[in-house]
Every structure is written in structure tokens, then in C-alpha cells.
Amino acid sequence: MEELKNPKAKLSIEVSESDFEKEEVMEPTRREFLKLCAASAAGLGISQLYIPQVLRALERAAVSNPPVIWIQGAGDNGCLVSLLNTTHPTIAEVLFKIISLQYNPTIMAGAGKMAISHLDTVSEKTKGNFILVVEGAIPTKDGGIYCTIGQKNGKHITMLEAVKDLGPKAKAIIALGACATHGGIPAGKPNPTGAKGVRDVLGKAAPIINIPGCPAHPDWFVGTLVHLLMYGLPELDDQARPKMFFADSIHQNCPNYSYYMEGQFASKFGEKGCLIQLGCKGPMTYSDCPLRRWNSGVEWCIGAGAPCIGCCSLGFPDEVSPFYVSLPKELWPEKQTELA
Amino acid sequence: MAGRKIVIDPVTRIEGHLGIEVEVAQGRVIDARSMGTLFRGFELILKGRDPRDAPHLTQRICGVCSASHGLAASYNLDNAFGVTPPDNARIIRNLVVGANYIHSHILHFYHLSALDYVRGPDTAPFIPRYKGDYRLPKDVNDACVAHYLEALKMRMLPHQMRALFAGKAPHHVGFVPGGVTQKPTVDKITGFLWRLRKVQDFINNTYVPDAMAIASAYSDYKKIGLGHKNLLAYGTFDLDSTGKNKLFKRGRYIGGKLLDVDAAKITEDVKYSWYEDKTSGKNPTEGVTEPQPHKPDAYSWVKAPRYDGLPYEVGPLARMWINGDYKQGISVIDRHITRALETQKIANALEGWLMQLKLNEPIWTECSVPESADGCGMVEAPRGALGHWVRIRNHKIENYQCVVPSTWNTSPRDDKGIRGPMEQALIDTPVADPDNPIEVLRVVRSFDPCLACAVHLIKPNGRMKKFRVV
């Protein structure tokens, strides 16, 4: 953790390609692939004039991007799907220019024994230097048997074992999304599988960054990742959330804030006004959704006339539901007197 | 048995946690088992909650096809609340879910399954990979790799389209019992339309031709992965408020005949699943689940849904076949081709629906949670027939059940010992190299399995027993 606070800490690690199993034939080569990246970019509107520059830039890209290991527990892969929606950089740029994604069950080519042995190899070879991303909750009841992520020597590997094994070997751990930060829906009452977040499994001393949300916004993940790589550990609050994204409540920055102040409340869907009577949990939910908006900024929940369901709250879902029942009046934010 | 056992666990490039076990003799699969390895207990978590929370919570069953769970839950609640949403709401729901189909199918073809046919570059996450017969000519292979990257960008557009009308994706807000939360506005209609045109260009000129190119280079896979050849679709995309006219018809296909669907004939067997035998063979509306993890011979958390006692395959091939849009065959290749053609069909339909929106007409029919009611919502998700059932008592969810597409497709054997659709489709698959069983995964991924969806625990009124997965 101390090392991470030093902005000069370098997370990048040389991983030679020969470290990984390769076949005799090596086509297309990395160089050709980078050309393809450029060609594809050209097809999407980059002027032909820029291709040589783009190509040179891509070719300069290091073959040794920082290794990332991404494991998935009790969840729905929604945070990964959300990350695919990152705009600047695109996911292709994240994957090929910023990091080296060595393990991710949803994306990786290999499967079965090959995948598990690759996980073992990479986590040993880059021990202390890889970033671990945990998506999904960790069932802990009955030894964690409710979620297994693969088999080794004929034995099922539980998510609990995987987190306990990989966590201490990682340079930093990103707990991505509600399930990984605090258990999320799998931990909803009655929490049938004893689902927990990463911090509850590895302890507060571990170098964990919590990125809440169901799902997490791609900018929160990419921003945190880039901060780690360029400036070291971002400033975190007492719940290990990066302050740069989660310092203010949704209510504070809501475009309906003035309606709240004026006492104009929507009582039906489609009506103008603050949505608090329809159940909005914006006052108790901390994230920059109103400013950042979703899916390349096209819209966000309250913008679509729907009350915030508090999915970025660390109490999601139990502490922010029922979603369509108004917060009790005593929890409504105080109306500030106008500035003199 | 004489065969050599091959275990593939985890099966990667799918949604969720799946293991596959096959036995190979004389270079062919002679037996197969499909094993779900994650259990979250969604129905237990839903119990006792406000019914209106179900569209949000059930979307989190699956991060890829969440929109369809949102739709099934909304239909389910509309039905239980006794409310008919206005036309605008029906159309907006179709637009949101239709856009999500496009995202899901592009993602499946390029990012989940293409690497079984296209040799990726030698960099993570494309290595390590199985050795295999990657057959595409170099120029076509390279073009497909470029399209893999282009598709990463293209699939963002339908998610933006979904967000325009429903707030965000994945996991949108905006679907409520009785309708939707937002009136259509001209900027949203325009933004949706122009994104649709761009993604249509990609579907027509890149996705469909790439699917055809792979079909032609791997034409032997038209005779691999056949399965039981029984097809089932609940139908989806209502074209009017009667619920009877749909873009995809309801029906089933068996023994060369097209027949009707009666939901009462759906049952779930559990002889080979980790549940008590006495709970076997019940209709989902009265299903009882008692986990029994030490049961000999059981091997999956997925139950075995059957229609009139028989296994059925669900998904794009079933929908297109039953609708009369496709009759060429049932195989690995036909699953990929129908998924591509269906994407085209839905994209074409979206434009027409968009033009039917009326700017100042209602979007919501007022309604409230009934004291006591039962509901049912049967729709199609990208991966096939999806049903949600609810029982409301004292204004709360007493029981909520989902029977999802991948429960049909990835089911284990039923009480009669008949294999599930994907297991059966694996039989006779040639395996050239048991250490690199790429052929097995080509069959598995042609179903686009979604295991987070498939594993459920349905337990309306019993007590939870201690159980253990081995």
C-alpha cells in the first residue's frame, strides 16, 4: 500500500512473450495486428492521412503493458459488459495499449486446464506486480462451495480460494461493482450463500480500491486504473472509494435539485419535478452519475425519468429498497436557506 | 466406459460459470455432461420484497441479456397488477429490448465465439489458445480480427440506444409495471435512428458476411451439433396491445410439425440435478426445490425443463424456424447464421417501431401493488424462451420464479435419462486432439450459453437445507 502511494511507483512489468505458451506458427504477428488496429480505426472515420502516425504510435506501444488478472465470482458479468462501453479510451485501447489482460474468463481465448494453468503461471511470474480485478461477490458459506471458477487436478477451485490465493500476490486489487465491494445482490437478504465483498474477505489492510455501482461506470474503472499506473493510488475515502468519483451525493448534483428546493415533486411517471416521492435514493447515494451520465454520456437514470435506485450505494440493494417507496421525511435532505 | 474423459472447466467466453465433461472414443464424443457451477439463490433473495423491485433485481441475473429479464418481469407484473401499458410504453419496451438483442448477438459472434474459428494475434487475451484447424484464408482471418475490434465499438451503439429510452445499459431503469418512465422526445427518436442506421450498416455489410464466410469455411459443422431437433419459442416483441401479434411467433417444432405451446405442459425434472427427487416433474408455478447435493449421479445445479416430457432447444434458431424465417437446418452453423439473420430482422423492425411513437401520448397506466395476485410473463431473451412467474401476497413477493433459456439448453439429463439439448448436440462431435478440444467448444458456444441465468433455486415455502457441492 505504501508503495502505491508513491506516485513514482511503477506498476508496469516486463512480461516477455516467451513466458507464455506459444505455438510454432506465429501469424498474424503482433506487428501485423497493430496494423489491423490502425486499419480498423481508419474504417471508423480516422482520415487516411493519419494512418502512418497512428500506426507508428501503435508500434511504439510497449509489448509489456502492466499485467491484469480479472476473476469473476457470484455476479452477472455486468461490470465487464459495462467496461466494454468505455468511450475514450475505447476498450480496444484499454486492452492493447494500456494493460495486458492476462486472465478474464469472458474474453480470453483459452479455456479449461489451459486457462487455469495460465492463471497460475502469470500470477507467479508477475507476483507483486499484477493488478487483480475482482468482479462478483465471494460466497463464503460452507467453505465457499456455491461458486467455483474452474478445476485443478480434478478439484473444484472456489472463488473464496482464488481471492485468498491471488489477493496477497497482487500489487493492487480493484473490487469492481456492488458484488465485489460489499456483496451486492447475492448478499441481499437472506444472503443464501454468505456472499461477501473483497474487503470483508481479505481485510482492510489489503491494497483494495472499491468501485461501487451495479454495474460500475466504465470511466470509474478506467480512471482508477490510469491513476494507479500514472500517479499511484488515488485518494480514497474511509470505504476505500476513490474520492474523485464518489465524494458528492447524487442529490447534490442533480438537475432536479432546484425542483426539490422549490417543492415541485413528480407524483406520476413522466411528470416534471424532483423524483423523491417516487422513491429516488439520490440523497443517500454517492457518485458523479448526474455529471458524468452513462453510455458515452447519452443519458442517466434520473434523466430518463426514473428514480435513482441507489445502485452505487454500499448498501445496495437492501438499504436502498423498496426502490419505489419514498424515503421517510426525516431522511429528506435539509433545504438550505438561500445565500445572502 | 471405454472412452477418454475430457473436462473443460471453466468454459470461457460465455456468460457465467460452466463446466463441460465429455467422453471421447475413436475420435468422437460418445457422452456429455453440462455442469452449472455457480449458485446465487435469486428467488430466495426476491422473496418478501416489493414486487416493483423485481424488474431491477432480475435484470442483475445476467449482465448480457438484462433487458429481457426487465421485460419478462414487467410483463409478469403487468399481468399480476391487471394493467395494460399504453402503446408508447409497449413500443419503448420493444425498442430498448430490441437494441439489446443487437448488442448481445454482435458480442456473442465476435467476442465470445469467433475465436473458435478465427486465429487471433499472439498477444493477450488471444493467447494462450487451443491448437486447432483455424481454416480461414489469411486475408479473411485478418479481416475478421479487424472486425473483432470494430465490433467492440459497434456494440456500444445499441447500448446507447437502450440508454436513450431507459437511462443506462447494462441494467436499465425505466421499465415499471404499467409502462415506462419517460416520454418520447424528438431528440431521442433522432439519436436512436441515426445510431441504428450506423449499426445496421455494420450488421448488413460486416456481421452477416463474416458469419457466411465462417459458415462456408466450416461447412462440416452443418452436420455437427444437431441435437434433439425439437425447437421451442414463447414469441416476443408485441406488435399491438392484444399480445397476440408478435414479431416472433409462439410455437414449437417437433417431428417435422409446428405446434402450439401450452405453458401448463412445462415441467422441471431433477433426477440428475442436486435437488430432492420427490420435487421432480412439477410445473414451474408449483415447483418446489429442495437441494440434495449428495445425491448419487446428480451433476448440475441446472434443472431439466421439459415440455410434455421432452427436451427442447431454444434461441435464435428456434425463433427463426418457428416464425418461418429459416428452414435450412439445425446445427452449429445454423445457430450462428440464424443469430446473424435475426439481428438483421430486429434492426429492420426497430425503425418502423420508432416511427410509431407518438410525442404527446401517455407512457404509463397508473396502477398500484395488489394485495394478492398471481402473474406470468413469457417473452424471448436473445438466448431463447424466458418465463417469469410471481405470486403476490400481502403486497409482497411470496414466490418468484424464472425459467430461463439456458436452463432449457444447458440442462442435464431428465428423469428418463434423456440428455439436455446441448449435451445431445455434443454427441458424435469429432475431437481431433483431446488436449485441444476446440470442436467441443464450437458446439457449446453455438448455443450462447448463459449460466448466470440458468442456475436457480426455486423455493416457495420450504426451509433451506444445508448442502454441499462436490
Side-chain angles (χ1 to χ4, degrees):
Chain A
M1 206 73 173
E2 275 312 306
E3 203 182 339
L4 282 172
K5 283 175 182 158
N6 172 7
K8 285 176 188 157
K10 201 163 177 291
L11 281 156
S12 162
I13 168 113
E14 296 289 322
V15 184
S16 110
E17 295 215 352
S18 61
D19 287 346
F20 306 119
E21 268 183 72
K22 286 211 293 187
E23 297 165 44
E24 305 77 44
V25 198
M26 294 250 308
E27 283 184 319
T29 63
R30 183 175 175 89
R31 190 183 172 86
E32 283 172 316
F33 173 63
L34 293 175
K35 280 184 188 164
L36 280 168
C37 290
S40 168
L44 291 175
I46 296 179
S47 160
Q48 298 289 323
L49 287 172
Y50 294 112
I51 289 185
Q53 286 96 311
V54 171
L55 190 57
R56 273 199 298 276
L58 283 167
E59 283 173 347
R60 276 199 302 273
V63 285
S64 55
N65 290 340
V68 171
I69 292 174
W70 181 311
I71 54 173
Q72 296 169 328
D76 69 348
N77 304 6
C79 285
L80 174 76
V81 173
S82 181
L83 174 61
L84 297 181
N85 292 330
T86 174
T87 315
H88 300 296
T90 64
I91 185 64
E93 288 161 338
V94 172
L95 291 179
F96 305 117
K97 294 173 79 177
I98 300 178
I99 59 167
S100 175
L101 186 60
Q102 291 293 337
Y103 189 89
N104 176 303
T106 312
I107 290 182
M108 66 191 298
K113 205 194 292 179
M114 176 184 276
I116 294 295
S117 84
H118 186 66
L119 176 62
D120 285 347
T121 307
V122 176
S123 59
E124 277 309 316
K125 276 190 191 294
T126 68
K127 193 171 174 177
N129 287 294
F130 66 87
I131 295 172
L132 178 67
V133 180
V134 179
E135 181 187 9
I138 305 141
T140 61
K141 199 168 139 187
D142 300 326
I145 54 168
Y146 301 93
C147 180
T148 60
I149 64 158
Q151 290 183 37
K152 194 162 146 183
N153 306 324
K155 197 179 155 286
H156 288 275
I157 308 160
T158 65
M159 181 65 178
L160 182 62
E161 287 167 334
V163 168
K164 283 183 171 170
D165 173 44
L166 295 169
K169 294 178 187 167
K171 178 100 172 179
I173 303 162
I174 297 178
L176 183 62
C179 298
T181 56
H182 63 279
I185 289 182
K189 270 181 215 157
N191 194 352
T193 63
K196 287 184 177 173
V198 183
R199 234 175 161 213
D200 285 338
V201 168
L202 293 179
K204 287 184 179 175
I208 296 164
I209 301 169
N210 274 334
I211 302 181
C214 190
H217 195 295
D219 290 3
W220 301 335
F221 177 77
V222 174
T224 301
L225 188 69
V226 172
H227 200 290
L228 266 174
L229 299 176
M230 289 179 67
Y231 308 106
L233 195 73
E235 198 184 346
L236 304 176
D237 66 15
D238 59 353
Q239 298 293 323
R241 294 173 293 193
K243 285 187 181 172
M244 56 188 171
F245 302 122
F246 303 103
D248 297 333
S249 78
I250 283 182
H251 176 75
Q252 278 172 282
N253 291 314
C254 184
N256 288 340
Y257 184 80
S258 58
Y259 289 129
Y260 178 80
M261 297 301 278
E262 288 158 13
Q264 185 178 336
F265 302 111
S267 60
K268 291 176 183 166
F269 295 111
E271 269 182 7
K272 269 197 167 190
C274 170
L275 303 176
I276 198 161
Q277 287 185 352
L278 291 172
C280 187
K281 303 300 184 294
M284 58 189 293
T285 306
Y286 285 75
S287 88
D288 63 8
C289 291
L291 305 171
R292 189 169 302 284
R293 300 156 62 95
W294 281 75
N295 299 91
S296 309
V298 303
E299 197 42 285
W300 71 299
C301 301
I302 290 175
C308 167
I309 62 166
C311 80
C312 296
S313 153
L314 291 173
F316 179 80
D318 289 356
E319 288 170 25
V320 286
S321 56
F323 301 132
Y324 295 103
V325 172
S326 171
L327 284 172
K329 279 266 165 77
E330 59 269 23
L331 291 181
W332 286 29
E334 266 183 58
K335 287 190 186 181
Q336 303 298 316
T337 48
E338 280 183 38
L339 289 172
Chain B
M1 253 191 265
R4 172 175 167 182
K5 192 167 95 170
I6 304 173
V7 178
I8 309 171
D9 185 7
V11 172
T12 52
R13 281 185 283 118
I14 60 157
E15 201 291 327
H17 298 65
L18 172 71
I20 290 286
E21 203 178 284
V22 292
E23 281 194 48
V24 176
Q26 279 92 48
R28 290 195 174 260
V29 172
I30 55 165
D31 204 357
R33 281 157 192 260
S34 153
M35 312 170 287
T37 61
L38 164 68
F39 164 75
R40 284 178 291 177
F42 246 87
E43 285 92 349
L44 280 175
I45 294 165
L46 281 157
K47 203 176 158 176
R49 292 180 192 259
D50 188 318
R52 295 171 296 179
D53 293 355
H56 295 293
L57 295 171
T58 60
Q59 278 193 75
R60 272 84 178 167
I61 288 174
C62 175
V64 181
C65 56
S66 49
S68 298
H69 281 287
L71 185 71
S74 301
Y75 276 30
N76 190 13
L77 298 182
D78 290 346
N79 182 240
F81 288 25
V83 63
T84 305
D87 271 351
N88 264 350
R90 171 182 58 78
I91 295 164
I92 286 175
R93 287 174 176 181
N94 282 351
L95 293 171
V96 167
V97 174
N100 201 63
Y101 266 71
I102 297 174
H103 130 80
S104 179
H105 286 355
I106 292 175
L107 179 81
H108 174 260
F109 182 73
Y110 284 102
H111 310 120
L112 302 185
S113 59
L115 295 178
D116 295 341
Y117 307 93
V118 175
R119 193 189 161 86
D122 293 320
T123 187
F126 302 115
I127 51 170
R129 63 168 163 259
Y130 283 143
K131 293 179 188 175
D133 57 335
Y134 301 97
R135 301 177 201 168
L136 296 177
K138 186 170 166 19
D139 56 338
V140 179
N141 189 84
D142 290 356
C144 284
V145 174
H147 296 160
Y148 175 104
L149 298 172
E150 194 180 348
L152 283 172
K153 277 194 168 179
M154 280 298 148
R155 61 145 293 288
M156 292 168 66
L157 293 173
H159 257 187
Q160 289 169 16
M161 288 150 65
R162 182 179 168 196
L164 279 170
F165 284 115
K168 71 176 167 71
H171 306 338
H172 65 256
V173 290
F175 285 10
V176 285
V180 297
T181 57
Q182 188 188 30
K183 288 179 178 157
T185 53
V186 73
D187 59 322
K188 303 240 162 173
I189 293 171
T190 312
F192 192 100
L193 182 60
W194 260 259
R195 285 177 176 86
L196 174 63
R197 295 236 166 104
K198 203 167 169 184
V199 76
Q200 270 182 304
D201 182 48
F202 177 80
I203 296 164
N204 297 338
N205 298 312
T206 305
Y207 176 14
V208 171
D210 283 350
M212 297 298 177
I214 285 174
S216 140
Y218 293 86
S219 57
D220 47 330
Y221 281 83
K222 285 182 183 159
K223 294 196 163 57
I224 296 173
L226 309 186
H228 293 296
K229 299 188 193 171
N230 306 337
L231 306 172
L232 171 73
Y234 295 162
T236 203
F237 294 121
D238 286 1
L239 302 177
D240 58 37
S241 58
T242 65
K244 285 180 185 148
N245 300 309
K246 298 170 192 287
L247 183 70
F248 291 103
K249 283 183 226 159
R250 182 169 292 190
R252 66 196 162 93
Y253 173 82
I254 183 166
K257 285 185 194 150
L258 277 174
L259 300 165
D260 290 340
V261 173
D262 172 6
K265 291 190 173 169
I266 299 167
T267 52
E268 292 191 291
D269 282 1
V270 300
K271 184 172 175 189
Y272 292 94
S273 317
W274 286 304
Y275 306 99
E276 287 280 1
D277 280 339
K278 66 181 180 197
T279 66
S280 200
K282 298 203 184 239
N283 184 267
T285 53
E286 56 195 31
V288 180
T289 297
E290 290 183 32
Q292 177 42 272
H294 303 294
K295 201 164 86 177
D297 300 331
Y299 57 92
S300 183
W301 281 112
V302 181
K303 289 180 166 189
R306 296 295 184 257
Y307 183 94
D308 215 2
L310 292 170
Y312 279 79
E313 173 178 343
V314 300
L317 176 55
R319 278 194 290 270
M320 294 287 277
W321 191 286
I322 285 156
N323 217 42
D325 294 324
Y326 188 86
K327 292 282 176 196
Q328 288 188 23
I330 297 171
S331 69
V332 167
I333 289 299
D334 293 299
R335 287 185 196 102
H336 285 297
I337 293 293
T338 46
R339 200 172 281 114
L341 295 176
E342 176 182 82
T343 312
Q344 212 168 24
K345 182 182 167 92
I346 292 170
N348 292 342
L350 289 179
E351 181 164 346
W353 296 337
L354 195 64
M355 294 307 143
Q356 291 167 15
L357 288 174
K358 297 204 169 59
L359 292 186
N360 296 307
E361 304 269 312
I363 47 139
W364 185 56
T365 306
E366 201 162 349
C367 55
S368 54
V369 182
E371 193 276 330
S372 178
D374 294 330
C376 166
M378 292 167 83
V379 301
E380 291 279 323
R383 288 157 190 77
L386 169 65
H388 282 203
W389 285 265
V390 68
R391 185 188 305 145
I392 299 169
R393 297 291 181 269
N394 298 318
H395 305 284
K396 305 266 187 235
I397 295 172
E398 184 180 87
N399 183 30
Y400 201 101
Q401 302 177 41
C402 314
V403 179
V404 312
S406 295
T407 318
W408 287 96
N409 285 340
T410 70
S411 83
R413 286 151 173 73
D414 59 30
D415 290 8
K416 288 178 286 190
I418 300 170
R419 294 184 190 94
M422 195 170 81
E423 292 180 337
Q424 183 64 30
L426 280 164
I427 303 302
D428 263 349
T429 301
V431 179
D433 173 6
D435 291 325
N436 291 275
I438 191 167
E439 302 91 342
V440 169
L441 290 179
R442 283 176 183 154
V443 175
V444 168
R445 292 196 182 107
S446 74
F447 284 90
D448 192 2
C450 175
L451 268 291
C453 287
V455 178
H456 291 279
L457 179 74
I458 303 162
K459 191 157 174 65
N461 40 29
R463 290 149 308 280
M464 186 83 182
K465 282 194 177 179
K466 278 224 164 182
F467 58 106
R468 195 161 271 285
V469 186
V470 270

